[in-house]
Amino acid sequence: MDTLKNTRAQMRKGLLELCLLSIADQKAVSPTDIISSLKEADLIVVEGTVYPLLSRLKRLGWVNSEWQTLEDNPARKYYSTTVEGRNALQELSSTWQQLSTSISSIINSPVLS
Amino acid sequence: MKTTVNINLGGLPFVIDEDAYNRLEQYLKTLNTHFAQTDDQDIVDDIEVRISELLVERMTSGHIVNLLQIEGVISTIGTVEHFGIEQEEKTTSKRKTFARRQSTSILPMKPGKRLFRDPDDSMIGGVCSGLSTYFGIQDPIFLRISVIVVAFWLGFSYAVIPYIVFWILLPAAETDEDYESLQGEFTTAKDYSSTISQKLKARRLLKDPLYKKPEQSK
């Protein structure tokens, strides 16, 4: 049970990074924007998951953050991908494409005897 | 009658009940302690901003934040244990170490510091490199040369027999915590920082089956 939970969490963690990069690549986004996209896609359970991942991507130099103020609202931090982040995103998404094709071919194919 | 507190959260002012305030403060403190390990104040700052947004969503303006609303916000954001995998990994490996310690706790040393063989950096059994790390000697080569010198000077058995005894008595370091207690640096929220975690990261990389170890020449 614990192992299953662990495996599932590991799988999701790697893929969430890919999703985060891809969301932050289209335009500068606030953590709130990221959260709503991920929630819409049913990828996260609690919102807190996003923050450590975002911080990790920042430490890797894949995303940058800057403060922006919209009208009367207090300043908010916006994240966007760096050049390295964009390269990483390309690599990761092509890895994901390959993996998903390979894996579904294994999972869905009947066992060969 | 209830006491209220004025707070500034993510750049927005709130009036909040005292019990709600205490709950919120406790939550933020837990987050701070947890993320102190990663040296990242950004995480907690960002979460504070999110809390303020969620509170605004839940409130009608001019009202006072109560405990129910705070609990609601906390369950939306989640507690540290639900954030991700990091925490789980740690508890499982700790459990493993604890089980091992109970069965192999020969040679009890200073609390927090324990002797292990170091199979990751070994010529024969990792005894010299384990002892070197334990006593803070930079490079195990000094101890290795001493052992060879002793072997030739005093006779072979003076070096080989103690070596074999150590080899048998010392358990091999396996988990990250083993390596930490070998160096005598214990995992507390604050200590788990820079140098040691970098070393451990390098180790983990070496242990990774996908990482090809460079051929060691003897």
Side-chain angles (χ1 to χ4, degrees):
Chain A
M1 185 57 201
D2 249 17
T3 328
L4 185 63
K5 224 166 106 186
N6 217 318
T7 313
R8 213 183 294 159
Q10 298 251 24
M11 274 169 125
R12 209 170 28 203
K13 191 181 168 192
L15 293 174
L16 272 178
E17 283 182 8
L18 168 60
C19 297
L20 247 72
L21 275 178
S22 150
I23 295 168
D25 193 45
Q26 288 145 22
K27 59 180 174 76
V29 285
S30 69
T32 311
D33 300 330
I34 298 176
I35 287 171
S36 54
S37 308
L38 292 177
K39 269 192 166 167
E40 226 165 84
D42 212 8
L43 272 164
I44 51 169
V45 186
V46 292
E47 297 188 350
T49 313
V50 171
Y51 298 97
L53 288 175
L54 213 43
S55 142
R56 196 179 110 83
L57 294 181
K58 207 176 153 188
R59 254 178 293 145
L60 288 170
W62 290 358
V63 296
N64 260 335
S65 65
E66 58 175 353
W67 292 92
Q68 284 181 21
T69 321
L70 285 179
E71 291 154 26
D72 285 345
N73 300 317
R76 291 285 175 257
K77 218 186 281 165
Y78 282 78
Y79 291 85
S80 53
T81 47
T82 60
V83 179
E84 292 93 41
R86 227 159 284 148
N87 293 337
L89 173 61
Q90 264 170 12
E91 298 260 322
L92 286 176
S93 28
S94 72
T95 312
W96 166 245
Q97 301 288 0
Q98 285 165 11
L99 270 178
S100 75
T101 333
S102 323
I103 288 176
S104 45
S105 81
I106 286 180
I107 295 178
N108 298 330
S109 72
V111 183
L112 301 171
S113 49
Chain B
M1 195 180 74
K2 268 184 175 175
T3 320
T4 58
V5 187
N6 283 306
I7 58 167
N8 169 354
L9 201 64
L12 292 171
F14 290 95
V15 183
I16 178 169
D17 274 348
E18 199 179 21
D19 47 355
Y21 172 79
N22 290 335
R23 177 73 182 98
L24 181 61
E25 196 190 26
Q26 179 216 342
Y27 178 64
L28 288 174
K29 232 180 224 165
T30 323
L31 292 179
N32 263 318
T33 325
H34 181 81
F35 291 116
Q37 296 170 11
T38 51
D39 288 326
D40 203 339
Q41 186 54 38
D42 278 4
I43 298 180
V44 185
D45 286 349
D46 283 0
I47 292 176
E48 275 188 24
V49 168
R50 184 65 187 150
I51 295 174
S52 74
E53 289 172 353
L54 287 171
L55 281 177
V56 170
E57 276 173 27
R58 271 152 219 259
M59 299 216 356
T60 33
S61 62
H63 280 221
I64 293 162
V65 181
N66 61 31
L67 187 57
L68 202 68
Q69 285 158 336
I70 291 292
E71 293 290 358
V73 168
I74 292 176
S75 73
T76 306
I77 296 180
T79 49
V80 178
E81 297 82 55
H82 298 118
F83 277 13
I85 186 67
E86 298 154 68
Q87 198 66 9
E88 277 169 50
E89 266 175 0
K90 233 180 192 169
T91 38
T92 21
S93 71
K94 245 178 209 156
R95 222 176 290 141
K96 189 184 161 203
T97 325
F98 184 63
R100 264 172 28 76
R101 291 250 167 94
Q102 280 186 322
S103 54
T104 58
S105 65
I106 324 155
L107 292 177
M109 296 281 173
K110 262 193 278 173
K113 209 171 180 187
R114 269 176 49 87
L115 250 176
F116 287 98
R117 286 186 292 115
D118 185 348
D120 278 1
D121 178 21
S122 67
M123 296 300 277
I124 308 174
V127 171
C128 289
S129 94
L131 283 171
S132 298
T133 315
Y134 183 84
F135 290 111
I137 304 166
Q138 284 290 312
D139 195 322
I141 192 76
F142 299 116
L143 205 58
R144 284 178 186 143
I145 290 172
S146 324
V147 172
I148 294 167
V149 169
V150 167
F152 281 102
W153 205 323
L154 298 173
F156 224 56
S157 52
Y158 281 94
V160 173
I161 290 172
Y163 191 93
I164 292 173
V165 169
F166 271 117
W167 198 349
I168 295 168
L169 282 182
L170 296 182
E174 278 172 16
T175 63
D176 295 345
E177 281 83 4
D178 288 350
Y179 282 107
E180 276 167 51
S181 53
L182 178 60
Q183 298 180 32
E185 293 176 51
F186 232 53
T187 334
T188 58
K190 270 195 184 154
D191 283 348
Y192 197 83
S193 59
S194 54
T195 49
I196 191 156
S197 61
Q198 265 160 22
K199 269 184 211 163
L200 292 174
K201 250 176 230 158
R203 300 250 197 215
R204 240 175 255 142
L205 192 65
L206 283 170
K207 278 185 190 166
D208 194 329
L210 294 174
Y211 177 83
K212 275 192 197 134
K213 212 174 186 175
E215 284 293 308
Q216 268 184 348
S217 50
K218 293 216 166 178

